[in-house]
Amino acid sequence: MADVNHGVPRSKMTPAERQVRSQLAQLLSQRPVIRGTLLVRKRKCGKDNCHCARGEGHESLFLVISQNGRAQQFFVPKDWEARVRQWVADYHHVRELLEDISRIYWDKLRQRRD
Ligand SMILES: [Zn+2]
C-alpha cells in the first residue's frame, strides 16, 4: 500500500540522518526552546544618588522577538538569564538540525533519489 504521508521508513534512512533525527527528537522531547534575540540594554534607574546617574547605566537583558511583523521585548530577570540563554541556544540547535535534515532531502530531490 502506498504511503499517503510520503514518509520515509527509518530503515531507508542513512545512519547520518537517523543520528540527526535522534538528536532532534531528544532535544524537542526534553528541552524548552524559545525564539528570540538577546539584547543587553543600559538604562538609568532615575535615582540622583546612584552611580548610574553619571555613568553608563544598569545593564538589563531583554529577549527581542518579532511576531506577525511586530517586535516585542521581554525583560529577562537576572535569575532567569541562564535558563533563557539555554532555551535560546537550544532553539538554534533545533533549527540547525532541521536544516541538516532539509539538506539531505534537497540532495534527494536534486538527484531524484528515492
Ligand atoms: Zn541606578
Side-chain angles (χ1 to χ4, degrees):
M1 204 170 82
D3 180 359
V4 290
N5 296 314
H6 304 287
V8 174
R10 229 178 137 75
S11 57
K12 286 193 89 179
M13 295 172 189
T14 63
E17 180 179 358
R18 282 202 291 268
Q19 201 200 337
V20 171
R21 283 178 181 277
S22 296
Q23 281 182 51
L24 185 60
Q26 204 181 349
L27 264 174
L28 285 175
S29 62
Q30 294 173 9
R31 327 258 315 213
V33 291
I34 197 170
R35 179 174 61 80
T37 306
L38 289 165
L39 173 73
V40 175
R41 290 174 55 193
K42 295 183 171 112
R43 64 178 173 84
K44 311 218 171 197
C45 66
K47 293 177 192 143
D48 291 337
N49 58 352
C50 184
H51 66 86
C52 77
R54 287 168 307 278
E56 283 254 279
H58 303 276
E59 286 195 349
S60 309
L61 186 65
F62 290 85
L63 184 75
V64 184
I65 64 157
S66 60
Q67 249 186 148
N68 308 318
R70 271 189 59 225
Q72 273 179 287
Q73 297 189 9
F74 299 131
F75 175 65
V76 181
K78 253 289 170 262
D79 58 335
W80 278 66
E81 180 172 342
R83 77 188 95 163
V84 171
R85 284 192 185 281
Q86 187 63 58
W87 296 348
V88 170
D90 285 337
Y91 178 86
H92 284 286
H93 197 183
V94 165
R95 287 282 302 262
E96 281 166 22
L97 293 169
L98 275 177
E99 207 50 29
D100 288 346
I101 294 173
S102 244
R103 211 166 288 127
I104 291 167
Y105 287 88
W106 288 331
D107 284 346
K108 281 187 196 284
L109 173 62
R110 246 180 342 109
Q111 296 163 15
R112 308 281 194 275
R113 202 155 35 81
D114 211 352

